[in-house]
Amino acid sequence: MRRDSYKKLGDAIKKAKRIAIVTHLNPDGDAMGSSLGLSLYLQKLKKEVKVIVPNATPQFLAWMPDTKRVLNFQTDEKKVRAYVDKADLLFVLDFNSFKRVERLGDYLREKDITKITIDHHQQPEALAKYYLWDVKACSTCELVYDLMKGMGHVRMLDKKIAACLYTGLMTDTGSFRFPSVNHHTHLIISDLLKTGMKHEDVHGAVYDTYSRDRMRLLGYALNKIQVLPDNKTAYIALSEAELKEFNYQRGDTEGMVNYPFGINGINFCALFMEWEGMVKISLRSKGKIDVNKIARAHYNGGGHINAAGGRSNISLEETVERFVNVVSQKS
Ligand code: 5GP
Ligand code: MN
């Protein structure tokens, strides 16, 4: 954990005029919530701010405030470069290795600009001058709230910022059920609710807006759950052909990896998705099983102790076969 003083962070913000905020590939609720929440806050401090994503925001987050201003490096690379080349502060949010944002990372790594990492993942790279890094934080949104509080600016929270931060807090904690949730989390929620933000609207916008195809894909995937009872493990593997059958859109498998926990006794879940020539892997665990370690060791990935991801460049079948071996070694 490294939490540089709010004085240092505040001074860096005060000095800056033009600020860029970048978040991770396949941005999720916490990535977008923390980036947009921070951006709205910094705009209230009269800064010029842009949020940059390595690839598109998924549809289930398109309702979030200010998403129309977000620059997508895949489709707006020129605009991203034009903006960042003249920026004087870069926030790196909800990830901690430039490898994680691929080509955008190669560009940002070389940029001679003050960088601040706000993140809660394991094993950060030394990529920034200042850090608000705490693996105990349930979400990066929690840390953005802490920054506002540390700066003496909780009163600057408004409904829009609150909706952004609530989104990340909610999605990264499985709607407040993971062990990362504590009294501090709920005190933050209390401050967010005081703005008049409607938590039921945020929940509905994120979770009750499935397309029919997405719901049908979920049903199909649940039918395909494989259980390894000796290893208390369950997994789902979906091929590209299967995904296409359900007209797969990015974001459609968000949260799917957690469903097998509903089976009594399961403490390790995995989701394998074949897409565009590789297999994307999501791992989730309960208790002491360290999936960050497993993702780093086998899947060129990383994350948290109980939630991590990565990828494999061999076939889906072989990836699953090797996974079954890894799991049997673990137990
Ligand atoms: P998900 O399974 O939802 O894609 O990701 C779970 C967690 O692991 C998230 O916190 C995410 O940031 C992290 N993660 C997912 N994929 C990767 C990856 O390829 N590399 C690293 N370092 N982290 C990942
Ligand atoms: Mn997060």
Side-chain angles (χ1 to χ4, degrees), residues 24 28 30-31 94 120-121 138-140 172 304:
H24 61 73
D28 57 11
D30 192 31
D94 202 39
H120 65 135
H121 291 87
C138 73
S139 56
T140 298
D172 261 27
H304 311 280

mmCIF file of all heavy atoms in Angstrom, residues 24 28 30-31 94 120-121 138-140 172 304, ligand 2:
data_model
loop_
_atom_site.group_PDB
_atom_site.id
_atom_site.type_symbol
_atom_site.label_atom_id
_atom_site.label_comp_id
_atom_site.label_asym_id
_atom_site.label_seq_id
_atom_site.Cartn_x
_atom_site.Cartn_y
_atom_site.Cartn_z
ATOM 1 N N HIS A 24 -8.398 1.099 -17.710
ATOM 2 C CA HIS A 24 -7.922 -0.136 -18.337
ATOM 3 C C HIS A 24 -8.731 -0.629 -19.532
ATOM 4 O O HIS A 24 -9.825 -0.154 -19.810
ATOM 5 C CB HIS A 24 -7.753 -1.247 -17.300
ATOM 6 C CG HIS A 24 -9.008 -1.638 -16.578
ATOM 7 N ND1 HIS A 24 -10.003 -2.360 -17.170
ATOM 8 C CD2 HIS A 24 -9.412 -1.424 -15.302
ATOM 9 C CE1 HIS A 24 -10.963 -2.591 -16.291
ATOM 10 N NE2 HIS A 24 -10.628 -2.015 -15.150
ATOM 11 N N ASP A 28 -14.631 -1.580 -16.957
ATOM 12 C CA ASP A 28 -15.793 -2.100 -16.230
ATOM 13 C C ASP A 28 -16.402 -0.975 -15.391
ATOM 14 O O ASP A 28 -16.021 0.194 -15.528
ATOM 15 C CB ASP A 28 -15.380 -3.313 -15.380
ATOM 16 C CG ASP A 28 -14.262 -2.978 -14.401
ATOM 17 O OD1 ASP A 28 -13.944 -1.778 -14.226
ATOM 18 O OD2 ASP A 28 -13.715 -3.913 -13.792
ATOM 19 N N ASP A 30 -16.096 -0.106 -12.295
ATOM 20 C CA ASP A 30 -15.183 0.650 -11.430
ATOM 21 C C ASP A 30 -14.248 1.534 -12.263
ATOM 22 O O ASP A 30 -13.946 2.666 -11.875
ATOM 23 C CB ASP A 30 -14.373 -0.330 -10.574
ATOM 24 C CG ASP A 30 -13.615 0.362 -9.453
ATOM 25 O OD1 ASP A 30 -14.114 1.398 -8.956
ATOM 26 O OD2 ASP A 30 -12.535 -0.128 -9.072
ATOM 27 N N ALA A 31 -13.811 1.013 -13.400
ATOM 28 C CA ALA A 31 -12.917 1.794 -14.273
ATOM 29 C C ALA A 31 -13.635 3.059 -14.747
ATOM 30 O O ALA A 31 -13.117 4.183 -14.627
ATOM 31 C CB ALA A 31 -12.483 0.942 -15.466
ATOM 32 N N ASP A 94 -7.458 2.430 -11.787
ATOM 33 C CA ASP A 94 -7.975 1.060 -11.733
ATOM 34 C C ASP A 94 -7.105 0.060 -12.506
ATOM 35 O O ASP A 94 -7.581 -0.989 -12.897
ATOM 36 C CB ASP A 94 -9.439 1.008 -12.224
ATOM 37 C CG ASP A 94 -10.177 -0.234 -11.704
ATOM 38 O OD1 ASP A 94 -9.954 -0.612 -10.548
ATOM 39 O OD2 ASP A 94 -10.949 -0.830 -12.472
ATOM 40 N N HIS A 120 -6.322 -0.295 -6.781
ATOM 41 C CA HIS A 120 -6.438 -1.241 -5.662
ATOM 42 C C HIS A 120 -6.042 -2.662 -6.080
ATOM 43 O O HIS A 120 -6.424 -3.615 -5.407
ATOM 44 C CB HIS A 120 -7.856 -1.200 -5.078
ATOM 45 C CG HIS A 120 -8.925 -1.673 -5.998
ATOM 46 N ND1 HIS A 120 -9.923 -2.521 -5.596
ATOM 47 C CD2 HIS A 120 -9.164 -1.444 -7.308
ATOM 48 C CE1 HIS A 120 -10.734 -2.770 -6.620
ATOM 49 N NE2 HIS A 120 -10.291 -2.125 -7.665
ATOM 50 N N HIS A 121 -5.336 -2.808 -7.202
ATOM 51 C CA HIS A 121 -4.877 -4.136 -7.634
ATOM 52 C C HIS A 121 -3.541 -4.493 -6.989
ATOM 53 O O HIS A 121 -2.812 -3.631 -6.537
ATOM 54 C CB HIS A 121 -4.732 -4.177 -9.154
ATOM 55 C CG HIS A 121 -6.038 -4.118 -9.868
ATOM 56 N ND1 HIS A 121 -6.650 -2.940 -10.201
ATOM 57 C CD2 HIS A 121 -6.868 -5.104 -10.285
ATOM 58 C CE1 HIS A 121 -7.801 -3.195 -10.810
ATOM 59 N NE2 HIS A 121 -7.958 -4.498 -10.868
ATOM 60 N N CYS A 138 -12.050 -1.452 -1.570
ATOM 61 C CA CYS A 138 -12.948 -2.363 -2.289
ATOM 62 C C CYS A 138 -13.028 -2.009 -3.761
ATOM 63 O O CYS A 138 -13.428 -2.832 -4.580
ATOM 64 C CB CYS A 138 -14.339 -2.346 -1.663
ATOM 65 S SG CYS A 138 -15.264 -0.841 -2.001
ATOM 66 N N SER A 139 -12.648 -0.774 -4.095
ATOM 67 C CA SER A 139 -12.774 -0.317 -5.486
ATOM 68 C C SER A 139 -11.904 0.928 -5.653
ATOM 69 O O SER A 139 -11.537 1.584 -4.666
ATOM 70 C CB SER A 139 -14.225 0.055 -5.786
ATOM 71 O OG SER A 139 -14.651 1.029 -4.847
ATOM 72 N N THR A 140 -11.627 1.260 -6.912
ATOM 73 C CA THR A 140 -10.919 2.512 -7.170
ATOM 74 C C THR A 140 -11.840 3.691 -6.859
ATOM 75 O O THR A 140 -11.380 4.755 -6.449
ATOM 76 C CB THR A 140 -10.399 2.530 -8.619
ATOM 77 O OG1 THR A 140 -9.469 1.451 -8.757
ATOM 78 C CG2 THR A 140 -9.698 3.825 -8.957
ATOM 79 N N ASP A 172 -17.735 -3.582 -8.169
ATOM 80 C CA ASP A 172 -16.524 -4.260 -7.702
ATOM 81 C C ASP A 172 -16.732 -5.048 -6.409
ATOM 82 O O ASP A 172 -15.852 -5.813 -6.008
ATOM 83 C CB ASP A 172 -15.372 -3.252 -7.510
ATOM 84 C CG ASP A 172 -14.412 -3.254 -8.695
ATOM 85 O OD1 ASP A 172 -14.866 -3.595 -9.809
ATOM 86 O OD2 ASP A 172 -13.212 -2.938 -8.527
ATOM 87 N N HIS A 304 -6.719 -9.129 -8.364
ATOM 88 C CA HIS A 304 -6.804 -9.145 -6.903
ATOM 89 C C HIS A 304 -6.675 -10.590 -6.410
ATOM 90 O O HIS A 304 -6.724 -11.517 -7.207
ATOM 91 C CB HIS A 304 -8.150 -8.612 -6.431
ATOM 92 C CG HIS A 304 -8.543 -7.325 -7.060
ATOM 93 N ND1 HIS A 304 -8.053 -6.116 -6.641
ATOM 94 C CD2 HIS A 304 -9.384 -7.051 -8.091
ATOM 95 C CE1 HIS A 304 -8.579 -5.152 -7.370
ATOM 96 N NE2 HIS A 304 -9.387 -5.695 -8.266
HETATM 97 MN MN MN B 2 -11.544 -1.949 -9.629
#
